[in-house]
Amino acid sequence: MKIFAEKIAIVTGAASGIGQGLAHELARRGARVVAADINGKGAEEVAGAIQAGGGQARAASLDVSNDSAVQKLVEETAREFGRIDYMFNNAGIGITGDVKDMNLADWRRVIEVNLWGVIHGVQAVYPLMIRQGHGHIVNTGSSSGLAPWPSVVPYTTTKQAVVGLSTSLRSEAETYGVRVSVACPGFINTQIFSSMKYVNIDREKAMRELPFWGMSPDKCARIILRGVEKNKAIIVVGWDAWLMWHNYRIFPGAYIWANRFIVKKVREQKSG
Ligand SMILES: NC(=O)c1ccc[n+]([C@@H]2O[C@H](COP(=O)([O-])OP(=O)(O)OC[C@H]3O[C@@H](n4cnc5c(N)ncnc54)[C@H](O)[C@@H]3O)[C@@H](O)[C@H]2O)c1
């Protein structure tokens, strides 16, 4: 538990859900948190709540798809605190529907936030961590980063890339004393399902059919931090994520066959 005390941590996507949970839990364990989000007001509320509870936090308005803004935040944080110990590249957005109904703009926005957002965070903080000789980059992937998942194909594409980026960089980074982990949660009860883009899908119908077993974002954050303490390469969060991952590895044919039911189910949610 002590490993986070007085440590400097940036969390992106900290205004809501898993990022908010991470910001609170890190501060509770004594870290100084920079809560960054495109929703600057939401980030301020989270930082304010942490301060009100006796923790140390400040807010930053940040669009992770903007490389120079991410670079600026990292430089400012390093200047203010003298170092950065943890970088949680967590911000993400969702999209659901049939690829046949999507356009390039749909793909681009998801890739810009979920993949380029992580790359921007890595490229900004990694050289600094190498100079420091320590640091831990924690990227938020997803269970869909570990196994195929139709109906959210651009999202799955970015999350599989984030898993590949993280697990591959990990071996390079360890030679410089820098750690890299990727968190792969299953279904977590957050705003992402109401804020995501539904392409030719009836939002209400889809929301009604969300799985009932969603984990709270606070519990998810605690599991992620436990994995960070253990320096796990892949932090799988939730039994559903674990099942997906293992089923796909052990029975890939059966897993892909079962994906047909997801395609059928989501097509039943089509609007119009
Ligand atoms: N909720 C789940 O079931 C689940 C499962 C696996 C992985 N994830 C991943 O967890 C991460 C957090 O998602 P969540 O479920 O907490 O969703 P959320 O919608 O509750 O939180 C996401 C936060 O990211 C912020 N954000 C969006 N675009 C941004 C941008 N361009 N720059 C900076 N901030 C931005 C949003 O304002 C929001 O505060 C995402 O990467 C998501 O893909 C979520």
Side-chain angles (χ1 to χ4, degrees), residues 16 18 37-38 62-64 90 140-141 155 159 185-186 188 190 192:
S16 169
I18 299 169
D37 204 287
I38 197 166
L62 175 77
D63 179 354
V64 296
N90 166 77
T140 304
Y155 181 84
K159 294 301 181 178
I188 314 297
T190 71
I192 201 168

Side-chain angles (χ1 to χ4, degrees), residues 109-257:
R109 188 60 192 153
V110 177
I111 292 171
E112 273 171 4
V113 177
N114 293 9
L115 180 55
W116 276 109
V118 171
I119 295 170
H120 293 157
V122 168
Q123 284 296 134
V125 86
Y126 185 47
L128 173 85
M129 288 183 169
I130 291 175
R131 284 199 298 280
Q132 293 174 170
H134 79 273
H136 200 148
I137 298 170
V138 185
N139 300 323
T140 304
S142 163
S143 52
S144 68
L146 299 170
W149 196 259
S151 83
V152 291
V153 174
Y155 181 84
T156 303
T157 303
T158 61
K159 294 301 181 178
Q160 300 215 353
V162 167
V163 171
L165 181 164
S166 309
T167 50
S168 307
L169 178 63
R170 183 177 167 91
S171 309
E172 287 186 26
E174 68 182 5
T175 62
Y176 301 114
V178 178
R179 296 173 167 185
V180 182
S181 301
V182 60
C184 292
F187 179 56
I188 314 297
N189 257 321
T190 71
Q191 299 295 323
I192 201 168
F193 301 99
S194 51
S195 60
M196 73 165 61
K197 183 164 183 187
Y198 289 83
V199 182
N200 200 14
I201 294 282
D202 184 322
R203 174 186 297 267
E204 307 308 320
K205 214 186 270 180
M207 293 285 289
R208 271 200 304 277
E209 291 180 11
L210 285 177
F212 60 86
W213 61 79
M215 184 187 282
S216 80
D218 292 344
K219 183 169 179 194
C220 173
R222 287 196 295 276
I223 294 172
I224 292 174
L225 293 188
R226 201 185 310 145
V228 172
E229 281 174 334
K230 292 181 179 163
N231 187 24
K232 283 190 168 181
I234 302 177
I235 305 167
V236 180
V237 184
W239 61 266
D240 51 347
W242 194 91
L243 261 186
M244 251 177 91
W245 189 32
H246 283 79
N247 278 347
Y248 180 54
R249 289 200 303 178
I250 299 165
F251 310 110
Y255 182 93
I256 288 170
W257 180 82

